[in-house]
């Protein structure tokens, strides 16, 4: 069920939610969070579709704050979705115009689901999210550095401005890689890693975060090598006395894991989509300490390999 409320107020939107729940028999007790989406009109539909899929395991109140033109008189147009049109959640789309575009937090506050954590998601490039009015409402803030013009610089800003509850989809895209590398280290021979090289696109924030995670976890030198843009994470090589552990993904889909004393393994390393990455981030409503350590402590320990120069492991094998 979809109801349009043009030129309305948050009070009228709240009344409409209550009325529609009564008509459809929808309960609010199962809502585990309020998910606020801060988005522009061009990306609003895609963001809502991703949110619907991501919250099927986490029934929520989804509030999309869609910024329209800041010119002209202030106006709020709303849309309320319940039932099959909202998946397992209830959706409120708020389109802000005029002066109201500057006061999204004030507009959304009366509509927050009672006694549930607030998660904010910026599907577009975003800066200074923790200090923003919406960011201050949320206990968890989800961004995506890969959407910025310079993802590596965006991560540096995230590190400088980090606040508890911040996270980034570039981090959730490393989950499969982190699990495979950790499992490989749990197999014999149980030797320390002496150095690591992580290779990925020059615009891959996931490559940087994985390198930061390995620097914290392994406490050894970690190099970050670059390849051409658009390939994402390509290779992780961990040096040990008996020989390297290497996880390679040449085609953004299938990876190969090799290590001494173990058979070669071919693995699915397809890049997760936005809905999948969002769903993973919604599994954790508190601070992600591992992400914080990779971002804040790990990144400064990673050494960049200058373009054209061989990595240390390449120099040894040359």
């Amino acid at each position: 069920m979809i109801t349009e409320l043009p030129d309305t107020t948050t009070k009228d939107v709240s009344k409409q939610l209550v009325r529609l729940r009564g008509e459809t028999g929808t309960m609010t007790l199962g809502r585990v969070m309020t998910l606020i989406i801060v988005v522009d009109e061009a990306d609003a539909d895609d963001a809502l579709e991703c949110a619907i899929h991501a919250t099927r395991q986490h029934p929520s109140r989804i509030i999309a704050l869609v910024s329209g033109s800041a010119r002209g008189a202030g106006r709020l147009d709303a849309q309320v979705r319940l039932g099959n049109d909202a998946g397992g959640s209830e959706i409120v789309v708020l389109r802000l115009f005029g002066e109201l575009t500057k006061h999204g937090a004030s507009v959304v506050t009366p509509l927050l689901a009672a006694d549930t954590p607030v998660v904010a998601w910026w599907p577009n490039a975003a800066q200074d999210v923790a200090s923003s009015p919406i960011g201050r409402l949320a206990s968890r803030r989800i961004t995506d550095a890969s959407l910025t013009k310079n993802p590596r610089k965006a991560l540096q800003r995230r590190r400088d401005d980090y606040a508890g509850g911040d996270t980034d989809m570039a981090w959730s895209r490393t989950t499969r890689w982190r699990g495979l590398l950790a499992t490989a280290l749990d197999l014999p021979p149980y030797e320390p890693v002496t150095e690591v090289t992580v290779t990925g696109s020059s615009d891959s924030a996931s490559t940087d975060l994985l390198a930061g995670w390995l620097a914290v976890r392994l406490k050894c030198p970690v190099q970050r090598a670059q390849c051409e843009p658009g390939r994402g994470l390509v290779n992780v090589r961990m040096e040990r006395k008996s020989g390297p552990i290497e996880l390679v993904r040449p085609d953004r889909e299938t990876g190969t894991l090799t290590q001494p004393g173990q058979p070669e393994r071919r693995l699915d390393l397809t890049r997760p989509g936005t809905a999948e990455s969002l769903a993973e981030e919604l599994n954790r409503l508190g601070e992600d300490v591992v992400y914080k350590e990779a971002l804040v402590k790990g990144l400064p320990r990673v050494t960049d390999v200058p373009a054209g120069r061989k990595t240390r492991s390449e120099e040894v094998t040359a």
Side-chain angles (χ1 to χ4, degrees):
M1 179 180 294
I2 300 178
T3 302
E4 302 286 350
L5 299 170
D7 199 5
T8 188
T9 65
T10 52
K11 184 177 181 180
D12 288 339
V13 174
S14 295
K15 288 180 179 179
Q16 187 69 11
L17 272 171
V18 173
R19 185 183 69 79
L20 290 175
R21 284 196 216 103
E23 292 179 0
T24 62
T26 304
M27 299 294 291
T28 61
L29 296 179
R31 302 289 175 253
V32 298
M33 74 184 81
T34 300
L35 174 62
I36 303 174
I37 308 173
V38 185
V39 68
D40 57 31
E41 185 65 57
D43 297 313
D45 289 341
D46 287 342
L48 281 169
E49 284 300 314
C50 288
I52 289 171
H53 286 291
T55 58
R56 290 192 185 279
Q57 302 300 320
H58 317 278
S60 309
R61 174 173 292 177
I62 300 172
I63 304 176
L65 275 179
V66 184
S67 294
S69 173
R71 298 179 179 179
R75 189 178 85 249
L76 169 64
D77 291 344
Q79 181 189 82
V80 178
R81 304 183 191 180
L82 293 179
N84 292 334
D85 293 299
S89 300
E90 57 185 26
I91 298 174
V92 179
V93 182
L94 304 174
R95 288 183 164 85
L96 312 181
F97 301 91
E99 183 68 19
L100 213 54
T101 58
K102 302 176 184 178
H103 303 287
S106 299
V107 173
V108 78
T109 297
L111 298 173
L112 301 179
D115 302 321
T116 63
V118 176
V119 179
W121 172 39
W122 286 261
N124 309 112
Q127 297 183 18
D128 305 324
V129 293
S131 60
S132 70
I134 294 296
R136 289 194 291 267
L137 289 175
S139 58
R140 190 155 174 80
R141 294 166 292 275
I142 304 171
T143 54
D144 192 345
S146 67
L147 299 177
T148 62
K149 292 182 179 179
N150 190 323
R152 301 195 73 196
K153 285 187 177 180
L155 278 188
Q156 293 298 326
R157 289 195 298 269
R158 300 277 187 272
R159 181 172 67 86
D160 294 341
D161 300 332
Y162 178 83
D166 288 355
T167 190
D168 197 276
M169 285 194 180
W171 173 245
S172 58
R173 295 187 192 107
T174 69
T175 298
R176 178 74 168 145
W177 288 73
R178 287 183 280 129
L180 290 170
L181 294 171
T183 300
L185 289 171
D186 286 338
L187 296 173
Y190 305 106
E191 299 171 335
V193 176
T194 56
E195 69 176 63
V196 178
T197 301
V198 183
T199 303
S201 301
S202 55
D203 59 352
S204 172
S206 295
T207 302
D208 293 291
L209 287 172
L210 185 64
W213 174 73
L214 288 166
V216 172
R217 177 181 170 87
L218 299 177
K219 296 180 174 62
C220 70
V222 176
Q223 299 181 97
R224 202 289 198 194
Q226 296 187 22
C227 62
E228 62 272 18
R231 295 183 62 192
L233 257 167
V234 174
N235 180 283
V236 177
R237 182 182 175 98
M238 301 188 293
E239 304 289 346
R240 296 193 300 184
K241 183 178 180 180
S242 61
I245 297 172
E246 191 160 21
L247 181 57
V248 184
R249 184 185 65 172
D251 60 3
R252 300 200 69 174
E253 293 183 358
T254 304
T256 303
L257 178 64
T258 57
Q259 63 187 113
Q262 300 292 332
E264 180 178 288
R265 297 172 59 193
R266 290 182 64 81
L267 306 153
D268 180 12
L269 283 174
T270 304
R271 185 181 190 267
T274 302
E276 185 180 348
S277 298
L278 178 61
E280 180 173 335
E281 292 296 348
L282 296 180
N283 282 327
R284 182 188 298 273
L285 296 179
E287 182 174 17
D288 188 339
V289 176
V290 181
Y291 165 73
K292 175 185 177 181
E293 290 181 343
L295 178 72
V296 177
K297 296 181 180 180
L299 280 183
R301 301 180 187 178
V302 177
T303 303
D304 279 341
V305 179
R309 181 183 296 179
K310 291 182 178 180
T311 64
R312 284 193 289 268
S313 60
E314 290 173 329
E315 291 171 350
V316 170
T317 56

